[in-house]
């Protein structure tokens, strides 16, 4: 039961982009076309899950026993940066097809604050490893959902007659605001 | 001087370059939160630019980015611990966004694009200018949202709270207010 609550809460109620404001840069940056949005969402899901597992193990097996919790920020960001590099190298060797699909997005992910954010939130919320993994995967699904919907909306926006002053970023942000309002309708489910 | 003033309007990190959007939208439910976040980021920016420009010749090109990240993360940890000790209420309301200064693209962006190529002095000035431009943007957005949402600016009541529209304090209002602010700034820049 607690897994279902984590899943619904992470995807809809506390959507990482629209309610918690993490990962806005890729949300605005790679949402011009639906196909790139799907690629980015896949790459984020992959790295987010791996990063959460690795940082969880580091926190509970290295930082906590040595009482150096204040090194959390430094160690987590280094691990994530290294992990992204590693994933890139491994994917290139093992699965060139997957690398083709996700490759361009991987370097961007190091500075995606959603990854570090979820790693830290998993520790703050006192999840165990399994809950952390479920939380990471469902957060990534929530990110992908918001990204793909938003990309679809923006594809339509390009064809619309937008007031001159609002063209480009302003109208995109206002659209995101209305989307966030729609997602507010989910609050209260959990 | 030019390095200092460009951050405010012409190259404002938020309104023009669209960097650092997560804290911009996430913490600006009130003017004071926006200002606190802006000043914390300014401190990290100035110190990171200072140290990066000092040690730039000693860092091999290949490990440049990871070394910058370690430098930035060090100062973020300093800010985090200091704030926790002396400004616990601000620390509470900014929450997760304090450690996330590490992945704020502005900080790494300035270290890579400016401090790694320029002298110590001009890097400090650049960091200060960019940081204060960021603070200005966050405070402005925070003030607008607080004013529309609850009728206050910096906690001072301007009009009774029940006339305000709560939506501007909540998540959707952040996107909408920033959208209109950018449209206005674009207009002002052209004029």
């Amino acid at each position: 039961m607690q897994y279902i609550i984590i899943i619904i809460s992470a995807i809809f109620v506390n959507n990482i982009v629209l309610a918690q404001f993490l990962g806005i840069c890729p949300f605005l940056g790679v949402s011009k076309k639906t196909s790139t949005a799907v690629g980015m969402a896949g790459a984020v899901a992959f790295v987010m899950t791996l990063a959460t597992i690795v940082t969880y193990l580091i926190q509970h097996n290295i930082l906590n026993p040595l009482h150096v919790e204040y090194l959390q920020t430094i160690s987590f960001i280094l691990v994530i940066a290294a992990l992204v590099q590693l994933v890139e190298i491994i994917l290139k060797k093992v699965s060139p097809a997957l690398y083709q699909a996700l490759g361009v997005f991987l370097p961007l992910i190091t500075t995606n604050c959603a990854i570090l954010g979820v790693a830290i939130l998993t520790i703050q919320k006192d999840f165990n490893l399994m809950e952390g993994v479920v939380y990471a995967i469902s957060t990534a699904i929530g990110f992908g959902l918001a990204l793909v919907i938003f990309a679809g909306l923006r594809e339509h926006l390009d064809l619309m007659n937008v007031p001159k002053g609002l063209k480009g970023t302003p109208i995109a942000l206002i659209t995101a605001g209305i989307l966030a309002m729609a997602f507010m309708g989910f609050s209260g489910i959990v | 001087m030019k390095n200092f003033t460009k951050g405010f309007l012409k190259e404002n990190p938020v309104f023009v370059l669209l960097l650092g959007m997560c804290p911009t939208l996430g913490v600006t439910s009130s003017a004071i939160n926006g200002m606190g976040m802006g000043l914390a980021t300014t401190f990290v920016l100035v110190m990171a630019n200072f140290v990066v420009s000092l040690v730039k010749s000693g860092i091999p090109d290949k490990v440049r980015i990871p070394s910058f990240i370690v430098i930035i993360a060090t100062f973020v940890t300093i800010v985090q611990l200091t704030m926790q000790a002396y400004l616990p209420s601000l620390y509470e309301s900014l929450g997760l966004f304090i450690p996330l200064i590490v992945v704020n693209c502005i900080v790494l962006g300035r270290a890579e694009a400016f401090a790694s190529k320029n002298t110590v002095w001009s890097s400090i000035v650049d960091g200060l200018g960019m940081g204060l431009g960021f603070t200005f943007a966050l405070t402005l957005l925070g003030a607008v949202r607080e004013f529309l949402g609850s009728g206050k600016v910096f906690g001072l009541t301007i009009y009774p709270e029940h006339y305000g529209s709560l939506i501007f304090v909540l998540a959707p209002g952040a996107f909408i207010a920033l959208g209109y602010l950018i449209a206005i700034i674009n207009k002002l820049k052209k004029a």
Side-chain angles (χ1 to χ4, degrees):
Chain A
M1 189 59 204
Q2 93 257 33
Y3 291 122
I4 298 173
I5 292 177
I6 292 175
I7 291 170
I8 293 181
S9 140
I11 296 180
F12 296 112
V13 183
N14 293 315
N15 186 286
I16 185 103
V17 181
L18 298 170
Q20 304 202 53
F21 300 115
L22 297 178
I24 304 278
C25 294
F27 180 68
L28 293 174
V30 296
S31 60
K32 291 210 171 100
K33 277 168 69 190
T34 321
S35 52
T36 47
V38 172
M40 184 70 188
V44 166
F46 197 64
V47 174
M48 194 179 272
T49 314
L50 274 180
T52 306
I53 297 172
V54 175
T55 51
Y56 180 90
L57 294 175
I58 286 178
Q59 176 80 27
H60 287 274
N61 294 314
I62 300 175
L63 298 186
N64 282 355
L66 295 175
H67 300 292
V68 285
E69 287 88 351
Y70 58 87
L71 289 178
Q72 193 191 50
T73 314
I74 298 185
S75 52
F76 278 21
I77 189 66
L78 274 183
V79 165
I80 290 170
L83 193 71
V84 171
Q85 288 276 304
L86 206 66
V87 167
E88 204 178 338
I89 296 167
I90 293 174
L91 268 188
K92 214 176 191 170
K93 282 270 177 226
V94 177
S95 164
L98 198 60
Y99 179 76
Q100 279 280 310
L102 304 183
V104 273
F105 303 109
L106 284 173
L108 295 174
I109 285 183
T110 315
T111 49
N112 181 341
C113 51
I115 309 280
L116 182 62
V118 167
I120 296 175
L121 278 174
T122 307
I123 308 296
Q124 277 182 2
K125 288 177 188 248
D126 244 343
F127 284 149
N128 62 35
L129 186 55
M130 196 57 216
E131 285 169 341
V133 170
V134 172
Y135 178 66
I137 294 174
S138 29
T139 302
I141 295 173
F143 176 77
L145 185 71
L147 197 62
V148 171
I149 295 177
F150 189 54
L153 288 172
R154 280 185 89 171
E155 280 183 356
H156 281 275
L157 267 182
D158 282 344
L159 307 171
M160 295 293 157
N161 197 2
V162 178
K164 211 167 122 208
L166 293 180
K167 273 208 175 98
T169 322
I171 194 72
L173 280 167
I174 294 165
T175 313
I178 296 169
L179 191 60
M181 225 184 276
F183 267 73
M184 272 177 74
F186 291 114
S187 59
I189 293 184
V190 177
Chain B
M1 196 61 202
K2 225 176 92 228
N3 285 339
F4 182 69
T5 51
K6 72 183 177 207
F8 276 91
L9 204 59
K10 218 169 106 242
E11 285 183 39
N12 187 293
V14 175
F15 293 137
V16 180
L17 304 177
L18 300 177
L19 294 176
M21 296 309 266
C22 302
T24 304
L25 294 164
V27 303
T28 51
S29 53
S30 72
I32 197 80
N33 281 356
M35 201 174 188
M37 185 68 205
L39 291 178
T41 312
T42 306
F43 172 76
V44 175
L45 249 171
V46 172
M47 294 312 287
N49 264 5
F50 170 60
V51 173
V52 165
S53 61
L54 264 187
V55 298
K56 61 176 183 268
S57 51
I59 299 176
D61 216 33
K62 273 188 178 164
V63 293
R64 194 174 76 243
I65 301 287
S67 337
F68 292 172
I69 292 181
V70 174
I71 293 170
I72 294 167
T74 310
F75 287 112
V76 171
T77 310
I78 293 174
V79 168
Q80 197 178 352
L81 295 176
T82 315
M83 238 182 198
Q84 203 170 4
Y86 295 104
L87 299 163
S89 63
L90 188 64
Y91 179 80
E92 275 299 302
S93 54
L94 297 182
L96 186 61
F97 286 100
I98 299 281
L100 288 182
I101 296 176
V102 181
V103 282
N104 189 327
C105 348
I106 301 169
V107 185
L108 187 60
R110 290 328 284 178
E112 163 73 5
F114 197 92
S116 65
K117 298 186 188 81
N118 285 284
T119 57
V120 174
W121 179 240
S122 55
S123 299
I124 294 178
V125 173
D126 174 78
L128 198 61
M130 278 289 159
L132 291 178
F134 184 67
T135 311
F136 164 68
L138 259 66
T139 315
L140 182 65
L141 183 60
V144 167
R145 285 180 67 192
E146 204 184 350
F147 177 72
L148 292 174
S150 61
K152 293 177 189 156
V153 174
F154 283 105
L156 290 170
T157 310
I158 310 284
Y159 62 86
E161 195 169 343
H162 55 267
Y163 289 124
S165 51
L166 184 64
I167 194 81
F168 281 100
V169 182
L170 300 174
F175 287 105
I176 296 171
L178 183 62
Y180 280 111
L181 269 182
I182 290 178
I184 293 170
I185 300 253
N186 281 345
K187 178 88 187 158
L188 286 180
K189 258 196 334 185
K190 274 190 205 118

PDB file of all heavy atoms in Angstrom, chain B residues 15-42:
ATOM      1  N   PHE B  15      16.026  36.847 -16.378  1.00  0.00           N
ATOM      2  CA  PHE B  15      15.093  37.393 -17.353  1.00  0.00           C
ATOM      3  C   PHE B  15      15.569  37.233 -18.787  1.00  0.00           C
ATOM      4  O   PHE B  15      14.770  37.132 -19.706  1.00  0.00           O
ATOM      5  CB  PHE B  15      14.839  38.882 -17.071  1.00  0.00           C
ATOM      6  CG  PHE B  15      14.114  39.115 -15.787  1.00  0.00           C
ATOM      7  CD1 PHE B  15      14.501  40.124 -14.928  1.00  0.00           C
ATOM      8  CD2 PHE B  15      13.045  38.317 -15.435  1.00  0.00           C
ATOM      9  CE1 PHE B  15      13.831  40.333 -13.737  1.00  0.00           C
ATOM     10  CE2 PHE B  15      12.376  38.511 -14.237  1.00  0.00           C
ATOM     11  CZ  PHE B  15      12.778  39.526 -13.395  1.00  0.00           C
ATOM     12  N   VAL B  16      16.909  37.233 -18.995  1.00  0.00           N
ATOM     13  CA  VAL B  16      17.408  37.197 -20.366  1.00  0.00           C
ATOM     14  C   VAL B  16      18.038  35.843 -20.707  1.00  0.00           C
ATOM     15  O   VAL B  16      17.722  35.240 -21.728  1.00  0.00           O
ATOM     16  CB  VAL B  16      18.421  38.338 -20.601  1.00  0.00           C
ATOM     17  CG1 VAL B  16      18.928  38.304 -22.021  1.00  0.00           C
ATOM     18  CG2 VAL B  16      17.775  39.679 -20.299  1.00  0.00           C
ATOM     19  N   LEU B  17      18.920  35.347 -19.825  1.00  0.00           N
ATOM     20  CA  LEU B  17      19.619  34.097 -20.152  1.00  0.00           C
ATOM     21  C   LEU B  17      18.799  32.864 -19.762  1.00  0.00           C
ATOM     22  O   LEU B  17      19.134  31.755 -20.163  1.00  0.00           O
ATOM     23  CB  LEU B  17      20.976  34.043 -19.440  1.00  0.00           C
ATOM     24  CG  LEU B  17      21.917  35.221 -19.710  1.00  0.00           C
ATOM     25  CD1 LEU B  17      23.186  35.070 -18.879  1.00  0.00           C
ATOM     26  CD2 LEU B  17      22.288  35.304 -21.179  1.00  0.00           C
ATOM     27  N   LEU B  18      17.750  33.061 -18.968  1.00  0.00           N
ATOM     28  CA  LEU B  18      16.905  31.948 -18.509  1.00  0.00           C
ATOM     29  C   LEU B  18      17.701  30.838 -17.823  1.00  0.00           C
ATOM     30  O   LEU B  18      17.475  29.664 -18.044  1.00  0.00           O
ATOM     31  CB  LEU B  18      16.107  31.340 -19.660  1.00  0.00           C
ATOM     32  CG  LEU B  18      15.162  32.275 -20.392  1.00  0.00           C
ATOM     33  CD1 LEU B  18      14.501  31.546 -21.539  1.00  0.00           C
ATOM     34  CD2 LEU B  18      14.103  32.819 -19.455  1.00  0.00           C
ATOM     35  N   LEU B  19      18.661  31.244 -16.969  1.00  0.00           N
ATOM     36  CA  LEU B  19      19.417  30.261 -16.195  1.00  0.00           C
ATOM     37  C   LEU B  19      18.904  30.272 -14.754  1.00  0.00           C
ATOM     38  O   LEU B  19      18.380  31.276 -14.282  1.00  0.00           O
ATOM     39  CB  LEU B  19      20.900  30.601 -16.196  1.00  0.00           C
ATOM     40  CG  LEU B  19      21.614  30.505 -17.545  1.00  0.00           C
ATOM     41  CD1 LEU B  19      23.047  30.969 -17.412  1.00  0.00           C
ATOM     42  CD2 LEU B  19      21.576  29.087 -18.055  1.00  0.00           C
ATOM     43  N   GLY B  20      19.107  29.119 -14.083  1.00  0.00           N
ATOM     44  CA  GLY B  20      18.727  29.064 -12.679  1.00  0.00           C
ATOM     45  C   GLY B  20      17.237  29.190 -12.456  1.00  0.00           C
ATOM     46  O   GLY B  20      16.779  29.826 -11.513  1.00  0.00           O
ATOM     47  N   MET B  21      16.456  28.552 -13.335  1.00  0.00           N
ATOM     48  CA  MET B  21      15.006  28.701 -13.236  1.00  0.00           C
ATOM     49  C   MET B  21      14.421  27.973 -12.023  1.00  0.00           C
ATOM     50  O   MET B  21      13.386  28.395 -11.501  1.00  0.00           O
ATOM     51  CB  MET B  21      14.327  28.152 -14.499  1.00  0.00           C
ATOM     52  CG  MET B  21      14.681  28.893 -15.752  1.00  0.00           C
ATOM     53  SD  MET B  21      14.459  30.636 -15.562  1.00  0.00           S
ATOM     54  CE  MET B  21      12.825  30.821 -16.182  1.00  0.00           C
ATOM     55  N   CYS B  22      15.045  26.878 -11.588  1.00  0.00           N
ATOM     56  CA  CYS B  22      14.432  26.107 -10.503  1.00  0.00           C
ATOM     57  C   CYS B  22      14.300  26.927  -9.225  1.00  0.00           C
ATOM     58  O   CYS B  22      13.196  27.075  -8.720  1.00  0.00           O
ATOM     59  CB  CYS B  22      15.216  24.817 -10.237  1.00  0.00           C
ATOM     60  SG  CYS B  22      15.326  23.780 -11.683  1.00  0.00           S
ATOM     61  N   PRO B  23      15.418  27.498  -8.689  1.00  0.00           N
ATOM     62  CA  PRO B  23      15.239  28.318  -7.488  1.00  0.00           C
ATOM     63  C   PRO B  23      14.389  29.550  -7.776  1.00  0.00           C
ATOM     64  O   PRO B  23      13.624  29.987  -6.918  1.00  0.00           O
ATOM     65  CB  PRO B  23      16.660  28.712  -7.092  1.00  0.00           C
ATOM     66  CG  PRO B  23      17.505  28.436  -8.258  1.00  0.00           C
ATOM     67  CD  PRO B  23      16.829  27.368  -9.041  1.00  0.00           C
ATOM     68  N   THR B  24      14.491  30.097  -9.002  1.00  0.00           N
ATOM     69  CA  THR B  24      13.710  31.285  -9.333  1.00  0.00           C
ATOM     70  C   THR B  24      12.225  31.036  -9.108  1.00  0.00           C
ATOM     71  O   THR B  24      11.521  31.844  -8.521  1.00  0.00           O
ATOM     72  CB  THR B  24      13.930  31.669 -10.803  1.00  0.00           C
ATOM     73  OG1 THR B  24      15.318  31.841 -11.007  1.00  0.00           O
ATOM     74  CG2 THR B  24      13.200  32.934 -11.158  1.00  0.00           C
ATOM     75  N   LEU B  25      11.751  29.890  -9.584  1.00  0.00           N
ATOM     76  CA  LEU B  25      10.326  29.600  -9.443  1.00  0.00           C
ATOM     77  C   LEU B  25      10.014  29.016  -8.074  1.00  0.00           C
ATOM     78  O   LEU B  25       8.952  29.252  -7.519  1.00  0.00           O
ATOM     79  CB  LEU B  25       9.889  28.627 -10.539  1.00  0.00           C
ATOM     80  CG  LEU B  25       9.956  29.184 -11.961  1.00  0.00           C
ATOM     81  CD1 LEU B  25       9.880  28.068 -12.977  1.00  0.00           C
ATOM     82  CD2 LEU B  25       8.840  30.166 -12.189  1.00  0.00           C
ATOM     83  N   GLY B  26      10.959  28.271  -7.530  1.00  0.00           N
ATOM     84  CA  GLY B  26      10.664  27.490  -6.330  1.00  0.00           C
ATOM     85  C   GLY B  26      10.589  28.283  -5.044  1.00  0.00           C
ATOM     86  O   GLY B  26       9.784  27.975  -4.178  1.00  0.00           O
ATOM     87  N   VAL B  27      11.442  29.311  -4.876  1.00  0.00           N
ATOM     88  CA  VAL B  27      11.517  29.959  -3.560  1.00  0.00           C
ATOM     89  C   VAL B  27      10.878  31.339  -3.525  1.00  0.00           C
ATOM     90  O   VAL B  27      10.897  31.989  -2.494  1.00  0.00           O
ATOM     91  CB  VAL B  27      12.981  30.095  -3.076  1.00  0.00           C
ATOM     92  CG1 VAL B  27      13.655  28.748  -3.033  1.00  0.00           C
ATOM     93  CG2 VAL B  27      13.759  31.058  -3.931  1.00  0.00           C
ATOM     94  N   THR B  28      10.313  31.808  -4.663  1.00  0.00           N
ATOM     95  CA  THR B  28       9.887  33.199  -4.692  1.00  0.00           C
ATOM     96  C   THR B  28       8.443  33.400  -4.253  1.00  0.00           C
ATOM     97  O   THR B  28       7.772  34.288  -4.749  1.00  0.00           O
ATOM     98  CB  THR B  28      10.052  33.784  -6.104  1.00  0.00           C
ATOM     99  OG1 THR B  28       9.415  32.905  -7.025  1.00  0.00           O
ATOM    100  CG2 THR B  28      11.482  33.959  -6.475  1.00  0.00           C
ATOM    101  N   SER B  29       7.951  32.594  -3.301  1.00  0.00           N
ATOM    102  CA  SER B  29       6.596  32.827  -2.833  1.00  0.00           C
ATOM    103  C   SER B  29       6.519  34.095  -1.994  1.00  0.00           C
ATOM    104  O   SER B  29       5.448  34.626  -1.768  1.00  0.00           O
ATOM    105  CB  SER B  29       6.085  31.623  -2.049  1.00  0.00           C
ATOM    106  OG  SER B  29       6.996  31.312  -1.042  1.00  0.00           O
ATOM    107  N   SER B  30       7.669  34.621  -1.533  1.00  0.00           N
ATOM    108  CA  SER B  30       7.667  35.926  -0.886  1.00  0.00           C
ATOM    109  C   SER B  30       8.973  36.637  -1.224  1.00  0.00           C
ATOM    110  O   SER B  30       9.960  36.012  -1.583  1.00  0.00           O
ATOM    111  CB  SER B  30       7.529  35.791   0.625  1.00  0.00           C
ATOM    112  OG  SER B  30       8.723  35.282   1.150  1.00  0.00           O
ATOM    113  N   ALA B  31       8.958  37.970  -1.100  1.00  0.00           N
ATOM    114  CA  ALA B  31      10.120  38.760  -1.482  1.00  0.00           C
ATOM    115  C   ALA B  31      11.334  38.409  -0.631  1.00  0.00           C
ATOM    116  O   ALA B  31      12.458  38.324  -1.127  1.00  0.00           O
ATOM    117  CB  ALA B  31       9.804  40.245  -1.369  1.00  0.00           C
ATOM    118  N   ILE B  32      11.105  38.162   0.650  1.00  0.00           N
ATOM    119  CA  ILE B  32      12.239  37.933   1.550  1.00  0.00           C
ATOM    120  C   ILE B  32      12.919  36.605   1.236  1.00  0.00           C
ATOM    121  O   ILE B  32      14.140  36.488   1.272  1.00  0.00           O
ATOM    122  CB  ILE B  32      11.790  38.040   3.031  1.00  0.00           C
ATOM    123  CG1 ILE B  32      12.992  38.212   3.945  1.00  0.00           C
ATOM    124  CG2 ILE B  32      10.946  36.890   3.482  1.00  0.00           C
ATOM    125  CD1 ILE B  32      13.520  39.614   3.986  1.00  0.00           C
ATOM    126  N   ASN B  33      12.113  35.580   0.881  1.00  0.00           N
ATOM    127  CA  ASN B  33      12.702  34.299   0.482  1.00  0.00           C
ATOM    128  C   ASN B  33      13.544  34.457  -0.775  1.00  0.00           C
ATOM    129  O   ASN B  33      14.650  33.917  -0.873  1.00  0.00           O
ATOM    130  CB  ASN B  33      11.611  33.274   0.193  1.00  0.00           C
ATOM    131  CG  ASN B  33      11.042  32.683   1.456  1.00  0.00           C
ATOM    132  OD1 ASN B  33      11.520  32.984   2.546  1.00  0.00           O
ATOM    133  ND2 ASN B  33      10.025  31.856   1.312  1.00  0.00           N
ATOM    134  N   GLY B  34      12.994  35.203  -1.767  1.00  0.00           N
ATOM    135  CA  GLY B  34      13.728  35.422  -3.002  1.00  0.00           C
ATOM    136  C   GLY B  34      15.052  36.101  -2.739  1.00  0.00           C
ATOM    137  O   GLY B  34      16.093  35.727  -3.272  1.00  0.00           O
ATOM    138  N   MET B  35      15.015  37.111  -1.848  1.00  0.00           N
ATOM    139  CA  MET B  35      16.219  37.861  -1.547  1.00  0.00           C
ATOM    140  C   MET B  35      17.250  36.972  -0.847  1.00  0.00           C
ATOM    141  O   MET B  35      18.435  37.007  -1.187  1.00  0.00           O
ATOM    142  CB  MET B  35      15.853  39.036  -0.655  1.00  0.00           C
ATOM    143  CG  MET B  35      16.845  40.138  -0.660  1.00  0.00           C
ATOM    144  SD  MET B  35      16.114  41.454   0.298  1.00  0.00           S
ATOM    145  CE  MET B  35      17.259  42.718  -0.002  1.00  0.00           C
ATOM    146  N   GLY B  36      16.799  36.166   0.120  1.00  0.00           N
ATOM    147  CA  GLY B  36      17.718  35.291   0.833  1.00  0.00           C
ATOM    148  C   GLY B  36      18.404  34.319  -0.113  1.00  0.00           C
ATOM    149  O   GLY B  36      19.617  34.125  -0.062  1.00  0.00           O
ATOM    150  N   MET B  37      17.600  33.714  -0.991  1.00  0.00           N
ATOM    151  CA  MET B  37      18.153  32.781  -1.969  1.00  0.00           C
ATOM    152  C   MET B  37      19.144  33.489  -2.874  1.00  0.00           C
ATOM    153  O   MET B  37      20.233  32.980  -3.165  1.00  0.00           O
ATOM    154  CB  MET B  37      17.001  32.220  -2.811  1.00  0.00           C
ATOM    155  CG  MET B  37      17.407  31.151  -3.779  1.00  0.00           C
ATOM    156  SD  MET B  37      17.881  29.695  -2.849  1.00  0.00           S
ATOM    157  CE  MET B  37      18.949  28.951  -4.042  1.00  0.00           C
ATOM    158  N   GLY B  38      18.781  34.698  -3.342  1.00  0.00           N
ATOM    159  CA  GLY B  38      19.657  35.454  -4.228  1.00  0.00           C
ATOM    160  C   GLY B  38      20.988  35.762  -3.568  1.00  0.00           C
ATOM    161  O   GLY B  38      22.049  35.588  -4.176  1.00  0.00           O
ATOM    162  N   LEU B  39      20.940  36.191  -2.307  1.00  0.00           N
ATOM    163  CA  LEU B  39      22.183  36.556  -1.629  1.00  0.00           C
ATOM    164  C   LEU B  39      23.044  35.322  -1.370  1.00  0.00           C
ATOM    165  O   LEU B  39      24.275  35.383  -1.505  1.00  0.00           O
ATOM    166  CB  LEU B  39      21.881  37.296  -0.320  1.00  0.00           C
ATOM    167  CG  LEU B  39      21.281  38.695  -0.531  1.00  0.00           C
ATOM    168  CD1 LEU B  39      20.956  39.354   0.794  1.00  0.00           C
ATOM    169  CD2 LEU B  39      22.244  39.585  -1.327  1.00  0.00           C
ATOM    170  N   ALA B  40      22.415  34.199  -1.012  1.00  0.00           N
ATOM    171  CA  ALA B  40      23.182  32.969  -0.813  1.00  0.00           C
ATOM    172  C   ALA B  40      23.891  32.573  -2.108  1.00  0.00           C
ATOM    173  O   ALA B  40      25.072  32.213  -2.107  1.00  0.00           O
ATOM    174  CB  ALA B  40      22.258  31.839  -0.353  1.00  0.00           C
ATOM    175  N   THR B  41      23.166  32.673  -3.234  1.00  0.00           N
ATOM    176  CA  THR B  41      23.767  32.327  -4.517  1.00  0.00           C
ATOM    177  C   THR B  41      24.883  33.311  -4.879  1.00  0.00           C
ATOM    178  O   THR B  41      25.914  32.911  -5.411  1.00  0.00           O
ATOM    179  CB  THR B  41      22.692  32.328  -5.625  1.00  0.00           C
ATOM    180  OG1 THR B  41      21.576  31.586  -5.173  1.00  0.00           O
ATOM    181  CG2 THR B  41      23.221  31.728  -6.907  1.00  0.00           C
ATOM    182  N   THR B  42      24.667  34.611  -4.553  1.00  0.00           N
ATOM    183  CA  THR B  42      25.698  35.613  -4.827  1.00  0.00           C
ATOM    184  C   THR B  42      26.996  35.264  -4.112  1.00  0.00           C
ATOM    185  O   THR B  42      28.077  35.320  -4.702  1.00  0.00           O
ATOM    186  CB  THR B  42      25.215  37.006  -4.372  1.00  0.00           C
ATOM    187  OG1 THR B  42      23.975  37.268  -4.974  1.00  0.00           O
ATOM    188  CG2 THR B  42      26.217  38.071  -4.759  1.00  0.00           C
TER     189      THR B  42
END
